[in-house]
Amino acid sequence: MIPSLRSVRHFSTTAIMKQVVSELHVSVPWGEIRGQVWGPEHGRPVLCLHGWADNAGSFNTLIPLLPRDWRCVAVDLVGHGLSSHRPAGVLYTFPAYVYDVRQVVEALQWKRFSIIGHSMGGNIAGLFSALYPEMVESVVFLDSFGFLPAELKEMAGLARKGIEEMIEFEKKKDEKRERLYTYEKAVERLMAANPSLSEKSVHILLERGSTQVDGGVVFNRDFRINLTNVVRCSLEQSLELQSRIQAKILVVLAEDGLIKIPSKPEQKRYFSTLLDGFKGLGGRQLTVPGNHHVHLNKPETVASILTDFLEGRASDLAAKLPSSGGVWSLPVLPRTRTAGCTQVECPGTTPTSPGGQ
């Protein structure tokens, strides 16, 4: 299967001249998976996976700062951006997202490539790298710990919760109408729900995240991405999967990102254990100034780090790493919930939280 490339566009940044971007269309049984393609056909293949409720536009400011001889493909995950929603009655789960990624890779005819995954996209990248270790050369987790473990004793309850939410959604879906917004109100809503986004970043995400219709704009994402994920892994299962990763690993955390987002006390232990696991696999980790969307808001903060890592320039990357031996330590996580964490990949499991994804 050969993906369709059309709707060529040009992007420009303050750092470089215009760069050609093609629109990706990959046919799947229920519709199509969309995305954007940057760089030459035979360039270094890099797959970019965005976070929960975002879209491929999440990488619009970062990719132009990466080497122009890379072949970067930023995907709209199913149910996000311009990609089709899942069929009626079908739940959103991490294994399903991995299946989607495998479909894209098959269409691109890539045998070995690197992945840059932000937040939930990092969790998908972690699971894909574990299931297809021979295909992934390098993996970058942008403000992501690669996996999202759940307490073993809570997994049955989470599965039941997700099933019940789906049943209620199916009962009411015919009664619901798509909510219309003026473009200005859509901007306000997205900024209020995602305090880590700059206003410029909100406009970028709305390019693929909304559609102009009679009377205003509608958000493109599938409401079902908000429902609790019924397929979860325990910490033990996550570590077993993590141990199967053969790729080179880089974890880039934001100072005001996931490590500052309130969570249950056990999540701090999970995150520390996962970081130790990556260290045992020879991975590297560093913390950069910025918030959960630093790669979109201030891409220059991470662009050279990613370039050095994926190009294999160990000495240049080492110069950017902290000199202290505590590089793998995790800052103390707050234990009280504050407003505004529902639209980023916080570890909670409420219906509007990506932790439920």
Side-chain angles (χ1 to χ4, degrees):
M1 176 171 57
I2 299 177
S4 169
L5 295 178
R6 53 182 185 267
S7 304
V8 175
R9 294 188 290 169
H10 298 265
F11 280 98
S12 62
T13 70
T14 55
I16 63 172
M17 298 301 289
K18 287 185 178 180
Q19 189 169 358
V20 176
V21 182
S22 302
E23 189 71 14
L24 177 73
H25 299 253
V26 176
S27 295
V28 290
W30 61 92
E32 64 177 2
I33 297 174
R34 296 281 292 273
Q36 298 184 116
V37 182
W38 313 65
E41 182 177 357
H42 299 292
R44 174 191 292 272
V46 180
L47 186 68
C48 301
L49 304 177
H50 63 78
W52 176 81
D54 289 345
N55 54 63
S58 179
F59 297 96
N60 275 13
T61 59
L62 174 61
I63 292 176
L65 302 182
L66 301 178
R68 298 190 67 173
D69 60 349
W70 290 7
R71 179 72 160 181
C72 294
V73 175
V75 175
D76 286 331
L77 293 170
V78 173
H80 298 71
L82 300 177
S83 287
S84 300
H85 296 180
R86 296 206 187 283
V90 177
L91 293 158
Y92 285 80
T93 66
F94 281 121
Y97 283 125
V98 170
Y99 168 74
D100 302 335
V101 170
R102 185 65 184 85
Q103 288 266 30
V104 171
V105 172
E106 184 73 10
L108 293 170
Q109 300 181 349
W110 285 359
K111 302 301 181 184
R112 191 163 171 81
F113 56 96
S114 297
I115 306 177
I116 299 173
H118 171 241
S119 205
M120 187 186 80
N123 297 337
I124 298 168
L127 183 54
F128 187 96
S129 299
L131 297 182
Y132 295 95
E134 75 284 359
M135 298 187 75
V136 185
E137 178 181 3
S138 303
V139 59
V140 177
F141 299 107
L142 288 177
D143 214 33
S144 170
F145 295 93
F147 297 89
L148 190 65
E151 276 287 300
L152 187 61
K153 62 184 179 182
E154 296 179 356
M155 289 171 65
L158 291 172
R160 174 171 173 156
K161 186 171 183 284
I163 291 170
E164 291 301 312
E165 289 171 356
M166 186 64 163
I167 288 174
E168 289 303 308
F169 170 80
E170 291 291 336
K171 285 180 182 178
K172 300 175 181 178
K173 65 182 176 68
D174 293 333
E175 304 170 9
K176 290 186 177 181
R177 295 181 179 178
E178 288 185 307
R179 189 168 179 181
L180 291 177
Y181 299 86
T182 64
Y183 181 79
E184 292 73 21
K185 287 296 183 182
V187 169
E188 290 179 12
R189 183 174 184 270
L190 199 53
M191 289 194 71
N194 294 268
S196 64
L197 290 171
S198 68
E199 184 172 355
K200 177 183 176 182
S201 296
V202 166
H203 289 294
I204 291 173
L205 291 178
L206 283 176
E207 288 182 17
R208 304 180 71 84
S210 64
T211 298
Q212 184 76 42
V213 297
D214 291 339
V217 300
V218 295
F219 285 98
N220 292 339
R221 59 184 180 238
D222 190 343
F223 179 83
R224 287 174 292 173
I225 67 171
N226 295 299
L227 306 183
T228 301
N229 194 322
V230 302
V231 180
R232 304 299 293 268
C233 289
S234 66
L235 178 62
E236 183 180 16
Q237 290 172 318
S238 297
L239 292 174
E240 169 59 28
L241 288 165
Q242 183 190 58
S243 72
R244 296 173 180 269
I245 298 176
Q246 298 174 9
K248 294 182 293 183
I249 298 164
L250 176 65
V251 181
V252 180
L253 299 178
E255 287 181 354
D256 296 312
L258 288 186
I259 57 179
K260 290 286 184 70
I261 292 174
S263 66
K264 297 179 181 179
E266 62 266 20
Q267 287 291 346
K268 178 189 173 185
R269 175 174 60 86
Y270 291 169
F271 292 163
S272 295
T273 303
L274 288 168
L275 289 179
D276 285 341
F278 284 132
K279 181 181 180 181
L281 295 173
R284 298 189 173 194
Q285 182 254 319
L286 74 161
T287 303
V288 298
N291 62 28
H292 187 58
H293 282 88
V294 62
H295 72 292
L296 175 58
N297 297 332
K298 298 182 178 180
E300 64 278 1
T301 304
V302 298
S304 65
I305 294 170
L306 271 57
T307 299
D308 290 342
F309 173 70
L310 294 180
E311 292 280 358
R313 295 198 290 264
S315 59
D316 291 340
L317 179 62
K320 297 179 174 69
L321 294 173
S323 58
S324 66
V327 61
W328 283 95
S329 63
L330 185 65
V332 175
L333 291 168
R335 296 190 181 185
T336 57
R337 182 167 294 277
T338 59
C341 75
T342 58
Q343 292 294 319
V344 292
E345 279 72 318
C346 54
T349 56
T350 61
T352 55
S353 165
Q357 296 302 312

